[in-house]
Amino acid sequence: MADETGGAGSGAEGHTDQVADDADDADDTVEATGAPGETGGTDSTGSDAGRTDGCTGDGKAGTGGDGGGTSGTTGGTGGTSGTDGTDGTDGDGKQAARARRIAAWHGSERTLAHGPTEGRIADRLAALALTADDPSYGGDGWVDVYGDGVVEELERRVATLLGMEAAAFFPTGTMAQQIALRCWAGRTGVPVVAVHPLAHLEVHERDAYLTVSGLRAVRPTSEPRPPTAEEVRDLDEPFGTLALELPLRDAGFVLPSWEELVAVVEAARERDAVVHFDGARLWECTAHFGRELPEIAALADSVYVSFYKSLDGISGAALAGPESLVAEARAWRHRYGGQLFQQWPTALAALAGLDRELPRLPSYVAHARVVAEALRKAFTAAGIGWSRVHPEVPHTHQFQVWLPYPAAVLDEAGVRLAEETRTTLFRRWQEPGPPGLAMTEVTVASPALEWTAEDVTAAVDAFLARVRELMRRDG
């Protein structure tokens, strides 16, 4: 659901969504997207593993990310501010509140998606052991050393799935993207990247491509949507690379139509630019585009994909593209410190995700539309003065929900719902726009497939009852 899931899977998607976005692959925060229809503000803090305690699989946890605590104790209520049960300002209070949240989520029998912070180390190790016992994953083989063996197998799988010549494994998506842009700048001779201001490159990577590689950005648009072909064509200065995030997460996990995407790519080609896809969540875009992964990836010169977002992996990413580019990227990976001694746990989890979660993503996308519609109708029936599900028809299995209440109240209502009914509907909320208007990210994964529209309505009613109780009590 609101992806604490870095992954959308039945385990951990790694959100909402999350823990240090290179930290990207750990925790982007709900960072300042602004309300739909507005340009976003500045990002909060955090990284891509715990956007709002994992509201969505990648996110900076603006209020302290739940990127990986225990799911054991309830943690009590120490450190709450006033009587609303939200995080206090002292460290002990925040840890107690965080432990309470995780315990409530972990104890829920009904949820829209499981989050990575809910998993116990022993459980994750047991699942990894079962994967290793499967002969198809090479569990009888030797552990990898500096990227051979099972890591090479993962790279081959990704290249084949995307229809690319080659792929290289990276410990984080941030590193993969920085190296891709650096390589393309050297090849085109133009150190300028056309990129959306709400893109992951801008919001969750600490300006790495600017400060580490000395590149520069131009903005095709500042609207909270993907750029159009006309905007790319009309940029008033040269650029060497057009970087497109698919979907554009901080604008609401939105995608262009297939025809719009083709036109944007053609416009970049007309400008003699290469095209790089930030495809951390490309895996779940096939349903919206009505195209398979190789046809989508073929539009780009290079593609980055994540293994913990949507695939229930531990961490890690891959950069796919022409053999010559990938070879150069491997050299830079070593220079950037990404040539890790052993990575077999991450590689095994990624391979399992490709087999188990990837085929199920279209069903998650389809059910996200059912859940989104049920949420909209339930908010209207409940008489909420203003609410928004964005997009109204989700483009992927993730979307935003906006409600006119303080984030702290919505957080507490969600925890109480989980504690009292063992149902988790929403996780962490943020206020990236006007005070008192809060947003959360919802991820629909395998546990949600059991929910009917009526189940969603009942959960909304129970959630809002607790919201109203808190609002009455606090005046």
Side-chain angles (χ1 to χ4, degrees), residues 117-132:
T117 63
E118 301 166 34
R120 293 193 168 110
I121 293 174
D123 294 337
R124 195 72 203 240
L125 287 174
L128 197 63
L130 289 175
T131 298

Side-chain angles (χ1 to χ4, degrees), residues 71 101-110 118 418 421-424:
S71 52
R101 284 192 297 271
I102 294 175
W105 297 337
H106 180 76
S108 290
E109 296 175 344
R110 296 178 63 78
E118 301 166 34
T421 71
R422 306 193 77 175
T423 296
T424 293

Side-chain angles (χ1 to χ4, degrees), residues 417-440:
L417 179 69
E419 290 173 336
E420 296 164 10
T421 71
R422 306 193 77 175
T423 296
T424 293
L425 179 61
F426 303 118
R427 297 177 186 241
R428 299 306 305 280
W429 293 78
Q430 297 290 324
E431 294 182 35
L437 181 62
M439 183 272 286
T440 190

Side-chain angles (χ1 to χ4, degrees), residues 61-426:
T63 57
D66 290 344
T70 65
S71 52
T73 61
T74 60
T77 58
T80 60
S81 60
T83 56
D84 66 0
T86 58
D87 292 3
T89 56
D90 63 285
D92 290 344
K94 287 185 177 181
Q95 287 301 312
R98 178 176 180 276
R100 177 186 170 219
R101 284 192 297 271
I102 294 175
W105 297 337
H106 180 76
S108 290
E109 296 175 344
R110 296 178 63 78
T111 183
L112 295 180
H114 292 297
T117 63
E118 301 166 34
R120 293 193 168 110
I121 293 174
D123 294 337
R124 195 72 203 240
L125 287 174
L128 197 63
L130 289 175
T131 298
D133 285 340
D134 187 331
S136 64
Y137 297 117
D140 292 334
W142 301 104
V143 294
D144 67 290
V145 177
Y146 291 121
D148 63 3
V150 67
V151 176
E152 290 178 325
E153 173 59 22
L154 176 60
E155 292 172 337
R156 285 191 292 268
R157 284 283 304 277
V158 170
T160 299
L161 280 168
L162 297 178
M164 293 291 199
E165 290 182 5
F169 179 87
F170 283 83
T172 73
T174 294
M175 183 183 291
Q177 298 228 98
Q178 301 314 310
I179 288 175
L181 295 181
R182 182 175 196 135
C183 291
W184 285 126
R187 288 165 178 244
T188 63
V190 182
V192 180
V193 181
V195 60
H196 198 289
L198 291 181
H200 195 281
L201 281 162
E202 288 290 300
V203 183
H204 305 296
E205 298 185 17
R206 298 194 130 187
D207 297 326
Y209 74 104
L210 307 175
T211 57
V212 176
S213 298
L215 306 182
R216 186 166 61 85
V218 294
R219 319 292 188 206
T221 182
S222 60
E223 295 296 316
R225 54 160 175 75
T228 66
E230 291 73 21
E231 290 165 338
V232 170
R233 197 173 286 115
D234 292 343
L235 273 168
D236 57 6
E237 58 182 307
F239 57 95
T241 304
L242 172 64
L244 296 174
E245 183 180 339
L246 302 174
L248 186 57
R249 175 266 186 93
D250 279 347
F253 304 95
V254 295
L255 289 163
S257 69
W258 176 252
E259 294 73 21
E260 290 169 337
L261 179 60
V262 171
V264 166
V265 169
E266 290 175 349
R269 306 287 188 215
E270 292 172 14
R271 299 292 300 267
D272 296 322
V274 297
V275 177
H276 169 73
F277 284 171
D278 173 345
R281 297 176 174 82
L282 191 72
W283 307 118
E284 57 262 36
C285 294
T286 56
H288 177 83
F289 288 136
R291 302 291 193 282
E292 296 302 318
L293 286 168
E295 188 174 358
I296 299 170
L299 294 178
D301 297 281
S302 60
V303 178
Y304 138 63
V305 290
S306 173
F307 296 126
Y308 78 85
K309 298 181 179 78
S310 308
L311 295 184
D312 194 24
I314 295 173
S315 63
L319 176 65
E323 180 65 55
S324 62
L325 176 81
V326 172
E328 182 183 359
R330 292 178 192 275
W332 281 106
R333 179 183 65 188
H334 197 171
R335 295 184 181 110
Y336 273 61
Q339 189 75 354
L340 304 186
F341 180 54
Q342 290 186 343
Q343 301 170 104
W344 53 269
T346 300
L348 277 176
L351 284 168
L354 291 174
D355 284 342
R356 299 169 189 170
E357 285 301 303
L358 183 58
R360 305 180 73 182
L361 287 175
S363 67
Y364 301 166
V365 176
H367 202 60
R369 296 167 183 170
V370 174
V371 172
E373 182 179 13
L375 288 171
R376 284 193 298 105
K377 290 182 176 179
F379 294 145
T380 300
I384 302 297
W386 184 93
S387 64
R388 185 167 184 181
V389 174
H390 176 70
E392 286 193 358
V393 179
H395 296 176
T396 71
H397 70 312
Q398 295 178 290
F399 55 90
Q400 296 176 343
V401 170
W402 294 75
L403 290 176
Y405 300 101
V409 169
L410 297 173
D411 279 348
E412 176 64 13
V415 172
R416 292 188 181 190
L417 179 69
E419 290 173 336
E420 296 164 10
T421 71
R422 306 193 77 175
T423 296
T424 293
L425 179 61
F426 303 118

Side-chain angles (χ1 to χ4, degrees), residues 41-59:
T42 59
D43 52 91
S44 305
T45 66
S47 44
D48 197 308
R51 178 168 194 146
T52 71
D53 276 7
C55 272
T56 61
D58 25 72

